[in-house]
Amino acid sequence: MSINEKIEEFLNLSHSPFHVIHQMEEYAASCDNIQFGTDFVPGKNVCLKRNGSSIALIKLPEGKINAVKVSATHSDSPSFKIKPNPLLRKKDLACLNVEPYGGLIISPWFDRALSFAGRIVYEEDGQIKSSLVDIDDDLLVIPNLCIHMNRDINNGHAYNAAKETLPLFASNLPEDFDFGKYVMEKAGCNGNLISHDLFLNVREKAKRVGKDHEFIMSPRLDDLSSAYSCFLAFLDSVPVEGQADVFVCYDNEEVGSLTKQGASSTFLGEIIDCIAEAYHLSAQEKAEVLRRSFMMSVDNAHANHPNYPEISDATTSVKLNGGIVIKYNANQSYTTDALSASYVKLIAKEAGVDFQEYTNRSDLRGGSTLGNLSNNQVSLNCADIGMPQLAMHSCMETQGVKDLDAMFEFIKAFYQTNLLPLAF
């Protein structure tokens, strides 16, 4: 199976951050020499989870350690999250009460078959348990108001999320219908539902489009195409002597990362501490290792849009299927600087991977990502990179098929190169 086919398969099973991490955990468990837990031993590979929605994999070298290389991605995507006690009865119809998660584009969610997936927490025989739930059914729809009653809909519309984005769930529900019992039944669990983290998802699968099927169209490409590319590259790479390799996939990037499982948490810092302890490094030795270390913050980038060429920066050209993207921002929303960009370019050239460079137009505010947030906890040389895509934060996004291979090859080369960055 090709890298593209593996990533498409992962995308089709990743309907919530919890399912993303579950897929990675299961795949990692099928690989040799990966142990789950916090026992950091030189020469071993370790897998850690946090909250069930973030994961880290670590390859520890035998003997001494000289540097650490990290690729950082995220597991969450913009969606709608189901509120507690969500059932809303409206005459003969029932809707679910939801709220936007992250900076999503709302309009594409209308008039599509939807379902929901995520994590439930329940009580069974006096014990608190949790389980994943992913309802494989055309369960919900958010119906548009017809144009006859909203003649200006095609002239732009400001959506009221408390009123207009409530998905239709059922008609003529019995008065004693219990949403919690319904979810428990769909999850195949016994006991009583206590709480849940459930997200809406569109029912479309990843598909190839274009004259030569050169584009991939899928939900959650931001950032799962990068997350799975880096994950597979990490597992496929051959460790460099004296180098610890880390792959981390955080949750909650789309809402600011200010959680115990986000990029601003202590997750990576604690991993670095465990690595240092495993090699009995003094504080000074640990600092020396970190000075030679590097993080690739990997989150997708904006390609030139054919219908909005004026939105792109005057000297920036980012093309689908044009290779990985190095992202810059003068105000350090992205961590890339001259030193870290040079390191990325040298690795890309060494691996034969095409690269492009991105900046926002100076009068438009861009997003932020993982690198600068993680650096609040662990100071590392860092660059922000990604793959070019269109329709970022829509429920269906588009990117180039070749770029998936480019990111895989680049991250694999990053882990395998003997080239170290200039120490800061």
Side-chain angles (χ1 to χ4, degrees), residues 398-411:
T398 300
Q399 67 181 92
V401 170
K402 291 181 181 178
D403 295 326
L404 295 169
D405 291 314
M407 182 59 75
F408 171 82
E409 294 297 338
F410 174 79
I411 293 297

Side-chain angles (χ1 to χ4, degrees), residues 256-287:
S257 298
L258 300 175
T259 59
K260 65 183 181 298
Q261 60 273 1
S264 287
S265 73
T266 60
F267 193 27
L268 181 59
E270 290 171 7
I271 290 168
I272 298 297
D273 288 343
C274 288
I275 292 173
E277 184 176 342
Y279 295 91
H280 308 290
L281 300 182
S282 66
Q284 182 176 348
E285 290 169 333
K286 175 184 171 184

Side-chain angles (χ1 to χ4, degrees), residues 195-233:
S195 192
H196 53 75
D197 293 307
L198 298 174
F199 298 86
L200 302 192
N201 60 274
V202 297
R203 295 282 291 158
E204 285 96 332
K205 295 183 181 296
K207 61 191 71 176
R208 304 287 183 90
V209 299
K211 173 182 171 293
D212 297 314
H213 289 180
E214 65 266 44
F215 309 121
I216 179 172
M217 179 181 177
S218 175
R220 300 173 295 276
L221 289 176
D222 175 24
D223 183 38
L224 298 191
S225 60
S226 288
Y228 284 126
S229 296
C230 294
F231 171 71
L232 292 171

Side-chain angles (χ1 to χ4, degrees), residues 301-305 312 316-320 322-326 356-359 387-390:
H302 303 295
N304 289 5
H305 198 297
S312 296
T316 293
S317 180
V318 176
K319 302 174 182 178
L320 298 179
I324 68 168
V325 181
I326 306 169
Q356 311 174 76
E357 297 179 279
Y358 173 82
T359 58
M387 286 181 281
Q389 72 164 90
L390 297 172

Side-chain angles (χ1 to χ4, degrees), residues 92-286:
D92 62 322
L93 301 177
C95 296
L96 297 184
N97 196 6
V98 300
E99 62 181 317
Y101 174 91
L104 74 167
I105 303 174
I106 289 177
S107 57
W109 285 83
F110 284 81
D111 305 323
R112 291 179 184 264
L114 308 173
S115 189
F116 62 78
R119 172 180 66 178
I120 59 173
V121 179
Y122 60 98
E123 180 273 329
E124 182 181 12
D125 298 329
Q127 301 291 319
I128 294 178
K129 299 182 179 181
S130 69
S131 179
L132 299 183
V133 58
D134 189 354
I135 299 180
D136 185 15
D137 194 7
D138 297 332
L139 185 65
L140 305 164
V141 62
I142 306 173
N144 253 307
L145 182 62
C146 67
I147 196 167
H148 312 82
M149 298 177 182
N150 186 4
R151 294 288 183 180
D152 292 328
I153 185 65
N154 293 325
N155 297 325
H157 183 74
Y159 291 97
N160 184 324
K163 172 178 168 50
E164 297 175 273
T165 62
L166 306 180
L168 181 63
F169 174 58
S171 63
N172 299 309
L173 272 181
E175 286 298 323
D176 62 349
F177 178 83
D178 187 315
F179 182 75
K181 289 182 179 178
Y182 171 81
V183 173
M184 289 291 288
E185 178 183 326
K186 290 295 184 180
C189 298
N190 298 314
N192 299 310
L193 183 69
I194 301 173
S195 192
H196 53 75
D197 293 307
L198 298 174
F199 298 86
L200 302 192
N201 60 274
V202 297
R203 295 282 291 158
E204 285 96 332
K205 295 183 181 296
K207 61 191 71 176
R208 304 287 183 90
V209 299
K211 173 182 171 293
D212 297 314
H213 289 180
E214 65 266 44
F215 309 121
I216 179 172
M217 179 181 177
S218 175
R220 300 173 295 276
L221 289 176
D222 175 24
D223 183 38
L224 298 191
S225 60
S226 288
Y228 284 126
S229 296
C230 294
F231 171 71
L232 292 171
F234 171 89
L235 293 175
D236 200 49
S237 63
V238 178
V240 172
E241 184 178 352
Q243 174 184 297
D245 293 338
V246 179
F247 164 79
V248 61
C249 187
Y250 296 109
D251 192 8
N252 303 130
E253 189 276 341
E254 300 293 358
V255 292
S257 298
L258 300 175
T259 59
K260 65 183 181 298
Q261 60 273 1
S264 287
S265 73
T266 60
F267 193 27
L268 181 59
E270 290 171 7
I271 290 168
I272 298 297
D273 288 343
C274 288
I275 292 173
E277 184 176 342
Y279 295 91
H280 308 290
L281 300 182
S282 66
Q284 182 176 348
E285 290 169 333
K286 175 184 171 184

Side-chain angles (χ1 to χ4, degrees), residues 69-73 230 294-298 340 343-344 347 370-371 381-385 410-411 414:
K69 288 183 182 173
V70 182
S71 64
T73 63
C230 294
F294 200 94
M295 176 191 290
M296 295 291 178
S297 169
V298 190
S340 61
Y343 187 61
V344 173
I347 294 172
L370 304 160
N381 290 292
C382 189
D384 276 279
I385 65 172
F410 174 79
I411 293 297
F414 164 60

